[in-house]
Amino acid sequence: MSGENVKLFVGNLPLDATHDELNKLFAPYGEINTCSLLRQYAFVTLKGEGAADRAIRHLDGKEYRGRPLVVEESRARPPNSTKVFVGNLSATCSADDLHGLFSTFGRVLDCDKVKARLCSNVGYAFVHMERKEDAVTAIEALNGTTFKGRQLAVELSKTHGMVPVCVA
């Protein structure tokens, strides 16, 4: 058996999911090397030949505590990915919500949702899409539409790592 490590993205987890639950969920598929649990998603690194493929095959789309899991191989964002700014987000909007919304237009590589600071309950996010054409289509379709009760501002990101400052 190979010692290959494969990092998996695990999305759409319940807010109160625990490391123990994830360990129990993934243990049947291979040795768990690392498990990083974040808010409603996690990264699990499995060791062993075929372990990640088995986990994806059996767990992706499987209902877990009333929610369909998203389990896929985690890939580093390619340098040519397209970064989309999404503004005027509802405080109730999660990265998983955005992933689902933008996935209808193409492959979403990552969603970085930034919580609003004390000045407002409006947030923003950066959605990283694999293909620029898909990002442009998503922008044209979603800019100005209402999502979770707020009118979205969606555009190609003009920043590279800079964070907008909260203005009163």
Side-chain angles (χ1 to χ4, degrees), residues 26-84:
F26 283 88
Y29 305 104
E31 180 185 337
I32 298 168
N33 194 7
T34 63
C35 177
S36 303
L37 177 60
L38 304 154
R39 189 181 168 97
Q40 288 189 287
Y41 65 97
F43 292 99
V44 176
T45 304
L46 291 178
K47 185 177 184 175
E49 189 176 327
D53 290 337
R54 285 191 302 276
I56 292 168
R57 197 169 47 250
H58 290 101
L59 296 176
D60 186 45
K62 178 183 177 182
E63 191 165 307
Y64 178 70
R65 290 179 43 194
R67 305 169 69 111
L69 287 176
V70 175
V71 180
E72 59 192 26
E73 190 171 334
S74 176
R75 292 179 175 83
R77 280 176 270 179
N80 62 347
S81 66
T82 302
K83 187 175 179 181
V84 177

Side-chain angles (χ1 to χ4, degrees), residues 77 83-86 112-115 117 124-128 155-166:
R77 280 176 270 179
K83 187 175 179 181
V84 177
F85 172 81
V86 185
D112 301 321
K113 176 155 190 257
V114 181
K115 286 188 180 176
R117 301 242 167 161
Y124 62 93
F126 295 101
V127 176
H128 303 265
E155 61 188 47
L156 279 177
S157 177
K158 296 174 182 78
T159 63
H160 296 289
M162 291 178 57
V163 176
V165 177
C166 187

